[in-house]
Amino acid sequence: MSSPSSYYVTTPIYYVNDEPHLGHMYTTIAADVLARHQRMSGRDVFFLTGVDEHGQKVQQAAEKRGIEPIALADQVVERYATLWPELSISNDDFIRTSSARHHQAVQAMWRRLRDADAIYQGMYEDWYCVPCESYWTETQLKDGDCWEAKHCPDCKRGLERVQEASYFFRLSDWQDKLLEHIHAHPDFIAPASRRNEVLRFVESGLHDLSISRTTFSWGIPVPDDEGHVIYVWIDALTNYLTAPGFPDEQACMEHWPADVHLIGKDILRFHAVYWPCMLMAAGLPLPKRIFAHGWWTVEGNKMSKSLGNAVRPADLLATHDADVLRYFLLREVPFGQDGDFSESALTRRYNSELANDLGNLLNRSLAMLKKYRNSVLNQPTTEEAIDRALIADIESMQRDVDEALQQQAFHQALERINVVVRHGNRYVEENAPWALAKQGENARLDAVLYHLIESLRLICLQMSPFMPTKAAAMLSQIMGQEVDSDQLRLAENGGWGALPHGHACRAPSPVFPRMD
Ligand code: ME8
């Protein structure tokens, strides 16, 4: 089992039949913030993202373009490979399901399930949704009011009737065990609404799952029966084990079980039902948590290829700073709820929280330090209640941010930081350093300037997982030298009072200019 100091976070592996868009950015940015926060807290982080390359959809998309599936996959992988660094994504590994290591892991997983008698051969006849790659039983279609129209309960597109020889996974064996696990681990599935959704689904009865196909070839063959290709979801879900080293179990368990799988609500059933049952059948530990976030629309519209520019990362990054996008996506909508991306909402939030509040606090503090003390800090020789209140707020903010991020409550973490920023601006007004300077109250002026700059340093530290580049730009002004966000550690940098007497800051240079 993984050690308490390790932290393993994953994103879904994204299909290669679509271009990366805002939705993929969202989950990956969220995972990156968790990874950065935990690294800063001293944990040994393993952050995994990647691509899902197999399946009928990819095969069909490649055929349409007249190329091999692997050529299509290579093209889309290239897009992700350039996009993630532009968004400061700090993944430790990038998994491709077409890789040899994954091929080996999936076949080992299959053998393990087969040896545990969790797999049997039968005839498969059902309704299949090609775009969603999911199978639907008659009962499910009737429950979902889709029986008449024969359309997919999820995407509403037409279903195909399929009949073929297939291997099955004994999913039904695990219904009670899964319910027990969910009840015994209240934090296993989040948010609570999704947990209830899964409970209702499992309680309604689990049917054995068809896990092989003979109708297409772009996938991993079933061991010892090469006419069958392993069902894409078994293939895809196993990626979370491949990357840490499965089937080398000792290596794998250095990171596994995952601390959190971040996913969108669209793929909840696969992660919170099929995956845990597969793992139980294989005798492997379950992930500690699965968080299914909400769905973004753009300017009120569903995101689709036809929407073009609005959601294309390259266009978004041409007009917006990457860190500002990161901040906005995690601040605007409580993680778990649906949200709408609009230019006006982004501008409003940027101007009020980043330009007016945080940017202004940094600028005015450094400007006063320059004006009154030539940018050099003096250690305070006095401390008043108003100073102690600011320090206490900073220290409780550090704890609150950590707690919020343990729950993936990104918006709460950011709001808590913003509370301190507003406190800082109030502190400036209430202490009026300009009046202290005028009256020659030097000891008090030194104390006020010190409390401001030291608060800002600790605010920027907490902001750095969200906005690594902007935080580094702010911290460089405060520290008087270039700061690299990746090197920040709370154990060394997180305590109050680390700035020494005589420390020289830089002159202010705006990090968040107002947006029109
Ligand atoms: O489902 N809003 O891949 P995928 C928010 N390969 N998030 C969104 C979004 C939106 N409008 N659109 C996409 C697959 N996402 C499988 C996963 S995992 C073992 C296999 C994000 O390319 C969200 O994280 O369709 C969603 O779950 C994921 O992209 C789906 O990506």
Side-chain angles (χ1 to χ4, degrees):
M1 282 287 240
S2 58
S3 83
S5 71
S6 83
Y7 184 84
Y8 181 15
V9 54
T10 69
T11 73
I13 47 171
Y14 306 114
Y15 284 129
V16 294
N17 57 325
D18 201 357
E19 297 287 314
H21 62 60
L22 184 73
H24 307 122
M25 284 168 51
Y26 182 53
T27 323
T28 313
I29 290 169
D32 186 66
V33 170
L34 297 181
R36 287 175 176 277
H37 174 77
Q38 294 296 340
R39 269 189 217 114
M40 195 166 82
S41 310
R43 310 266 303 263
D44 166 25
V45 170
F46 188 56
F47 165 22
L48 176 67
T49 187
V51 286
D52 190 354
E53 300 172 84
H54 292 137
Q56 195 170 8
K57 259 199 300 192
V58 176
Q59 190 170 327
Q60 286 173 349
E63 274 162 15
K64 236 186 245 164
R65 291 176 176 76
I67 55 175
E68 290 299 318
I70 190 68
L72 174 63
D74 286 345
Q75 284 172 13
V76 178
V77 163
E78 195 46 44
R79 301 257 201 290
Y80 280 108
T82 45
L83 175 62
W84 292 152
E86 284 178 45
L87 284 164
S88 300
I89 301 301
S90 64
N91 54 302
D92 298 290
D93 197 353
F94 185 92
I95 183 99
R96 294 189 60 165
T97 56
S98 64
S99 60
R101 61 172 173 159
H102 185 64
H103 195 286
Q104 193 197 359
V106 171
Q107 290 201 327
M109 182 60 150
W110 180 281
R111 288 199 189 91
R112 199 162 165 138
L113 292 171
R114 188 187 61 192
D115 295 348
D117 192 30
I119 291 178
Y120 64 93
Q121 231 179 337
M123 266 314 268
Y124 183 76
E125 192 177 355
D126 229 333
W127 298 94
Y128 184 61
C129 175
V130 177
C132 295
E133 282 173 341
S134 42
Y135 295 87
W136 298 96
T137 61
E138 190 176 320
T139 327
Q140 285 170 331
L141 295 181
K142 283 183 177 157
D143 286 353
D145 246 358
C146 304
W147 181 243
E148 291 302 314
K150 305 284 185 299
H151 63 215
C152 170
D154 277 351
C155 75
K156 311 291 178 214
R157 283 175 282 203
L159 295 168
E160 282 176 20
R161 185 77 177 152
V162 289
Q163 190 186 36
E164 53 180 305
S166 172
Y167 287 93
F168 286 82
F169 170 60
R170 295 187 200 279
L171 185 67
S172 58
D173 281 0
W174 298 97
Q175 179 170 336
D176 294 342
K177 286 255 162 30
L178 181 59
L179 287 174
E180 241 171 66
H181 185 86
I182 299 173
H183 286 299
H185 300 86
D187 289 335
F188 181 49
I189 303 166
S193 56
R194 299 292 160 215
R195 179 173 185 267
N196 293 334
E197 195 180 309
V198 171
L199 279 171
R200 279 195 305 273
F201 178 80
V202 181
E203 280 158 1
S204 76
L206 293 183
H207 301 280
D208 289 351
L209 187 68
S210 162
I211 53 165
S212 74
R213 288 286 160 275
T214 53
T215 45
F216 65 91
S217 57
W218 176 234
I220 299 175
V222 168
D224 311 316
D225 194 353
E226 304 252 318
H228 289 255
V229 163
I230 298 175
Y231 174 46
V232 277
W233 276 98
I234 300 244
D235 172 342
L237 289 161
T238 303
N239 92 85
Y240 301 131
L241 295 176
T242 308
F246 191 80
D248 176 343
E249 216 169 315
Q250 205 181 343
C252 181
M253 293 304 147
E254 273 174 37
H255 296 295
W256 187 260
D259 288 79
V260 60
H261 289 316
L262 293 189
I263 56 168
K265 63 180 182 181
D266 54 326
I267 53 178
L268 177 64
R269 188 162 27 107
F270 302 98
H271 283 80
V273 180
Y274 300 169
W275 180 227
C277 290
M278 267 173 69
L279 289 165
M280 286 191 282
L284 292 164
L286 305 196
K288 293 181 199 154
R289 189 167 164 87
I290 298 155
F291 195 112
H293 64 65
W295 217 238
W296 282 92
T297 50
V298 171
E299 309 283 352
N301 297 305
K302 251 188 88 157
M303 241 183 270
S304 69
K305 283 180 204 167
S306 58
L307 253 177
N309 297 3
V311 298
R312 236 186 272 141
D315 295 290
L316 280 171
L317 285 165
T319 42
H320 297 291
D321 181 273
D323 274 9
V324 172
L325 286 170
R326 288 171 64 110
Y327 178 89
F328 175 74
L329 289 172
L330 294 178
R331 175 70 187 94
E332 181 70 2
V333 176
F335 205 58
Q337 293 179 22
D338 296 342
D340 185 52
F341 182 92
S342 76
E343 291 293 333
S344 62
L346 189 145
T347 307
R348 216 176 314 123
R349 204 168 274 285
Y350 174 90
N351 280 336
S352 79
E353 292 174 1
L354 296 179
N356 283 1
D357 290 349
L358 178 55
N360 184 31
L361 180 62
L362 181 76
N363 271 321
R364 67 203 301 211
S365 302
L366 287 174
M368 289 187 291
L369 185 67
K370 181 167 191 306
K371 182 167 176 195
Y372 304 130
R373 293 290 182 265
N374 200 23
S375 294
V376 174
L377 276 182
N378 292 322
Q379 275 278 359
T381 51
T382 68
E383 189 173 84
E384 296 187 0
I386 194 168
D387 308 331
R388 283 192 290 275
L390 184 64
I391 299 173
D393 198 12
I394 291 274
E395 288 176 343
S396 74
M397 175 251 318
Q398 293 177 319
R399 287 190 297 274
D400 293 343
V401 167
D402 188 53
E403 271 165 34
L405 290 182
Q406 281 178 36
Q407 301 298 314
Q408 294 79 43
F410 300 96
H411 64 292
Q412 253 174 39
L414 285 171
E415 174 50 23
R416 185 63 187 88
I417 301 171
N418 289 341
V419 165
V420 179
V421 172
R422 292 195 291 269
H423 190 159
N425 276 316
R426 257 191 343 268
Y427 180 91
V428 174
E429 300 304 323
E430 286 166 7
N431 284 287
W434 45 90
L436 297 172
K438 206 165 171 191
Q439 291 149 14
E441 292 193 39
N442 283 321
R444 192 60 208 142
L445 179 59
D446 281 333
V448 168
L449 291 171
Y450 188 91
H451 281 88
L452 277 172
I453 302 293
E454 184 61 351
S455 297
L456 273 160
R457 185 179 70 81
L458 295 172
I459 287 168
C460 294
L461 209 57
Q462 292 297 322
M463 272 294 186
S464 67
F466 294 91
M467 297 190 287
T469 309
K470 292 288 192 190
M474 291 189 283
L475 281 167
S476 300
Q477 297 181 32
I478 294 169
M479 300 311 295
Q481 61 182 40
E482 285 312 295
V483 170
D484 176 358
S485 285
D486 296 348
Q487 303 303 322
L488 300 170
R489 293 292 173 270
L490 288 176
E492 291 134 45
N493 311 108
W496 178 272
L499 286 177
H501 185 73
H503 171 82
C505 297
R506 286 184 181 161
S509 145
V511 176
F512 298 108
R514 266 191 80 82
M515 256 166 72
D516 298 322

